[in-house]
Amino acid sequence: SEQPYNFVSMLRLIATSLCLRCQHVPVLPSNLRACSTLSSVENQQTVEALYELSVDIQKVRKLKGWVLHQNPAYTKEVAGLLRNMGASGPIIAHILAVHPEAVLCNPEQLQTQQELWMSVCPNHRELIGVIEKFPASFFTASSNHENQRKNIAYFQSLNLNKRIITKLMASAPQSFGRPVEQNQLMVCTLQQAYKELGGDEANMKIWLQKLMSQNPFVLLKPPEMLRQNLVFLKNRGFTTSELLRLLSKLKGFVTELNPDSMCRTLAFSQEAIGCSDAELREIILNCPALLYYPESTLTERFEGLFSAGISMSQIIQTPTVLELTTQIVNYRINQLKACGYDISAGSLDIINGTKKDFEMSFGKLQLRRERPLFNPVAPLKADD
């Protein structure tokens, strides 16, 4: 009986292995299949052109080797376009190494792309900076130029800052490739929610800009989900003004939540903290992350804090410490211990915040410990 069991286990292992292998097989994007031909051998013209541009060919072969087998490719034309916009040789090499698919884009389409992006970018230098950070957003094979044009015009009609529109195009290009009506619907839903929650209409443009800047993907979420989440939170006792604070502080994450996940997370947090509904709402207003972190993440972070000697009362006073990973918390606590600071006896504010915040707090602590205290009324010691 043991032999058939082992045989079945072996088959399952083989099947799992094959599935994992299939997941790692590079798939040629559908928007390139129609205009490119996949060859069994590398396109030597592409390889030579990339060599001439000092592109890391080994990196391209390792990560996106299928690009080198495509024909036609427009390596020299793409490099020329970037060079004409002011990109240096090293920048061109970097862009083509991290996003070699760029060489498969038709030069005429790229010229249209450049014109569209320049309608919101102040100059070529800034556009090159955007392309360097978000090459996939610029080098899209575009059958969607008309959608891009309409979406740009729509966001400009909202009097949004050009830099905000550029950031949206770079971070969430999908929202510009789809019909403008979908973005209009989500923006109208956000504006309506802002008004219903008591937001000042005079500040709505600034609020909307900040929200989309912090989370460009907010536009890609279903408007119905936003409404459902706000209703759920209202039923949990949050006031309209508190909901407006959450909608602003969550950086759009409220559109990525759903009532079921929030219900589980809230129940877990309340049990772990041991607080009332009102106390939990106050904690969430200070740390909205408690709404969207899964129970497994919160369990790990609570345990990590406890093992470092931190008490629940300290966590309640500074709940945003739960936004930090256990690794970051341990690193910061060890840094403080090396300076003789006992985190269990003080405030967690010193380990809270961004890397820059911690470095500033840690630097001030070191300075206070190194600088000798001077008492102006103490008698001076003098040699007899």
Side-chain angles (χ1 to χ4, degrees):
S1 60
E2 190 174 332
Q3 191 171 1
Y5 176 80
N6 290 336
F7 180 68
V8 171
S9 298
M10 184 177 68
L11 287 178
R12 285 177 181 167
L13 183 62
I14 293 171
T16 303
S17 177
L18 287 173
C19 287
L20 290 172
R21 285 178 179 273
C22 289
Q23 289 173 7
H24 290 85
V25 173
V27 178
L28 185 63
S30 58
N31 56 13
L32 295 175
R33 291 174 191 161
C35 57
S36 302
T37 303
L38 184 63
S39 170
S40 59
V41 295
E42 290 183 348
N43 184 333
Q44 287 306 304
Q45 289 183 335
T46 302
V47 173
E48 289 171 9
L50 291 174
Y51 267 124
E52 289 176 8
L53 293 166
S54 301
V55 176
D56 187 343
I57 298 289
Q58 296 307 319
K59 182 176 180 179
V60 174
R61 284 194 178 111
K62 182 179 179 181
L63 299 178
K64 297 180 181 178
W66 60 269
V67 173
L68 301 177
H69 294 262
Q70 301 297 307
N71 189 40
Y74 308 95
T75 311
K76 292 182 179 179
E77 291 86 345
V78 171
L81 179 86
L82 293 171
R83 196 176 293 112
N84 290 339
M85 285 193 284
S88 64
I91 288 178
I92 294 173
H94 170 75
I95 291 172
L96 296 183
V98 298
H99 192 74
E101 301 97 312
V103 305
L104 305 179
C105 293
N106 186 289
E108 292 180 5
Q109 291 182 342
L110 288 184
Q111 190 64 43
T112 305
Q113 278 286 80
Q114 181 185 355
E115 293 168 4
L116 286 169
W117 282 73
M118 283 306 297
S119 67
V120 292
C121 266
N123 52 58
H124 282 134
R125 182 176 58 82
E126 290 209 17
L127 179 54
I128 286 296
V130 171
I131 296 172
E132 189 177 4
K133 291 180 181 177
F134 304 94
S137 299
F138 182 82
F139 293 108
T140 52
S142 222
S143 53
N144 296 322
H145 283 148
E146 191 57 31
N147 283 344
Q148 284 181 293
R149 190 172 286 108
K150 288 180 178 178
N151 278 300
I152 289 171
Y154 170 63
F155 287 115
Q156 287 176 331
S157 74
L158 295 174
N159 295 318
L160 297 183
N161 184 295
K162 281 189 173 183
R163 292 186 186 276
I164 300 296
I165 300 176
T166 303
K167 185 172 182 178
L168 287 173
M169 290 178 67
S171 304
Q174 309 95 312
S175 58
F176 283 77
R178 64 182 190 161
V180 67
E181 292 79 13
Q182 295 180 26
N183 287 328
Q184 288 173 331
L185 180 59
M186 188 56 184
V187 169
C188 288
T189 302
L190 288 167
Q191 290 174 326
Q192 184 180 355
Y194 178 81
K195 291 178 186 176
E196 290 175 354
L197 296 175
D200 184 358
E201 187 148 3
N203 294 325
M204 186 164 65
K205 188 189 86 169
I206 296 173
W207 174 83
L208 188 64
Q209 280 194 164
K210 184 178 179 182
L211 187 67
M212 292 195 293
S213 174
Q214 290 174 330
N215 182 16
F217 297 101
V218 68
L219 294 168
L220 299 172
K221 302 302 175 180
E224 301 78 25
M225 189 61 71
L226 172 63
R227 297 190 189 98
Q228 289 176 18
N229 289 333
L230 290 175
V231 168
F232 170 81
L233 292 171
K234 187 174 182 179
N235 291 338
R236 292 296 298 246
F238 288 95
T239 65
T240 53
S241 61
E242 289 172 342
L243 287 174
L244 183 60
R245 282 173 61 189
L246 278 178
L247 187 60
S248 303
K249 289 181 71 174
L250 273 170
K251 302 178 182 179
F253 278 114
V254 73
T255 57
E256 299 180 15
L257 301 169
N258 63 73
D260 290 339
S261 67
M262 283 192 288
C263 190
R264 290 193 302 270
T265 301
L266 289 174
F268 173 83
S269 299
Q270 188 165 17
E271 184 179 351
I273 296 170
C275 60
S276 66
D277 290 348
E279 289 169 334
L280 182 62
R281 286 196 296 272
E282 189 60 34
I283 290 170
I284 287 169
L285 287 170
N286 292 321
C287 180
L290 280 176
L291 283 173
Y292 56 82
Y293 285 148
E295 299 97 307
S296 57
T297 299
L298 289 173
T299 299
E300 179 193 345
R301 295 189 181 180
F302 274 121
E303 289 177 352
L305 291 167
F306 294 152
S307 64
I310 292 170
S311 66
M312 181 60 79
S313 61
Q314 287 178 292
I315 297 173
I316 292 173
Q317 288 175 0
T318 314
T320 45
V321 74
L322 290 167
E323 295 177 1
L324 303 173
T325 65
T326 303
Q327 291 80 3
I328 291 175
V329 168
N330 288 336
Y331 169 77
R332 293 181 181 183
I333 289 175
N334 288 333
Q335 290 282 94
L336 294 169
K337 279 182 179 177
C339 278
Y341 184 89
D342 183 8
I343 192 66
S344 64
S347 169
L348 297 186
D349 287 337
I350 195 167
I351 65 168
N352 207 19
T354 64
K355 179 182 178 182
K356 186 177 180 180
D357 294 333
F358 173 71
E359 288 174 351
M360 288 181 62
S361 300
F362 184 63
K364 290 177 182 176
L365 177 66
Q366 281 184 310
L367 192 63
R368 283 201 303 268
R369 291 185 175 276
E370 292 170 3
R371 181 185 294 162
L373 294 175
F374 172 67
N375 187 344
V377 298
L380 294 173
K381 291 183 178 180
D383 295 334
D384 293 333

